[in-house]
Amino acid sequence: MSAFDELKALLAEAHLHVLEPEPEPEPVKPKVSATDISEFKKLLSIATEQSNAIQQLDTNSQELIEKEIGPAIDSIKALAEKLASRKIHEQKDSLDPLNQKFVTLDQFNKHYSDFLVKIQTQLSTLGGGGEVNFRYLDDVNRS
């Protein structure tokens, strides 16, 4: 038998299975007795009582927290108001006026040295470092 004949046979067999309807399962009807209903009502009442007890605990614990933490919160708020009322000391930058005219060479040297210090400070925050021997890096082929 050729491969084509085998394929035809498999398709015919699959076609027959597809066209056969499967029987519908019968729906299962739950059987509820009077005792089941009474047990459910008991469980529901217990759950309601426990829920009420939890809510009562929540309100009690919230009152306790407010009593103990309330003074600390008030002192933090007072400190925040004091800090907000203080004036912030503004630092004058010697490099602020960009169009300065220097009268003497000493003034220019002082300004230039301040400029270099600020640039070095800013550049020192950029990071750097790392491996200097490329042969130890993971993505370098060592063979």
Side-chain angles (χ1 to χ4, degrees), residues 4-137:
F4 183 70
D5 293 334
E6 286 182 34
L7 180 63
K8 279 174 84 177
L10 287 173
L11 284 174
E13 186 178 327
H15 190 14
L16 288 176
H17 289 293
V18 170
L19 294 178
E20 292 175 1
E22 292 187 18
E24 290 287 324
E26 292 184 24
V28 178
K29 295 181 181 178
K31 296 178 181 176
V32 180
S33 65
T35 56
D36 292 337
I37 293 174
S38 65
E39 286 181 33
F40 177 74
K41 287 182 180 180
K42 286 179 188 176
L43 290 174
L44 184 62
S45 67
I46 291 171
T48 305
E49 289 172 6
Q50 289 178 350
S51 174
N52 292 338
I54 289 172
Q55 287 176 351
Q56 184 65 30
L57 283 175
D58 285 344
T59 56
N60 290 342
S61 62
Q62 185 177 3
E63 290 171 1
L64 180 65
I65 288 171
E66 287 176 358
K67 283 181 185 176
E68 291 189 14
I69 298 179
I73 292 174
D74 293 337
S75 63
I76 290 172
K77 286 180 182 178
L79 181 62
E81 288 175 5
K82 284 182 183 177
L83 289 175
S85 66
R86 286 186 178 179
K87 292 185 179 178
I88 298 173
H89 182 276
E90 293 183 20
Q91 183 179 6
K92 183 168 168 103
D93 190 3
S94 64
L95 299 177
D96 254 351
L98 298 177
N99 57 355
Q100 290 185 36
K101 298 198 183 211
F102 303 103
V103 179
T104 63
L105 185 61
D106 290 335
Q107 286 178 339
F108 178 75
N109 282 337
K110 182 181 181 323
H111 181 74
Y112 184 69
S113 64
D114 288 346
F115 174 73
L116 286 180
V117 167
K118 289 187 184 213
I119 294 297
Q120 288 173 350
T121 303
Q122 289 175 356
L123 288 177
S124 69
T125 62
L126 288 179
E131 183 62 54
V132 293
N133 294 322
F134 291 125
R135 65 177 176 231
Y136 297 124
L137 295 175

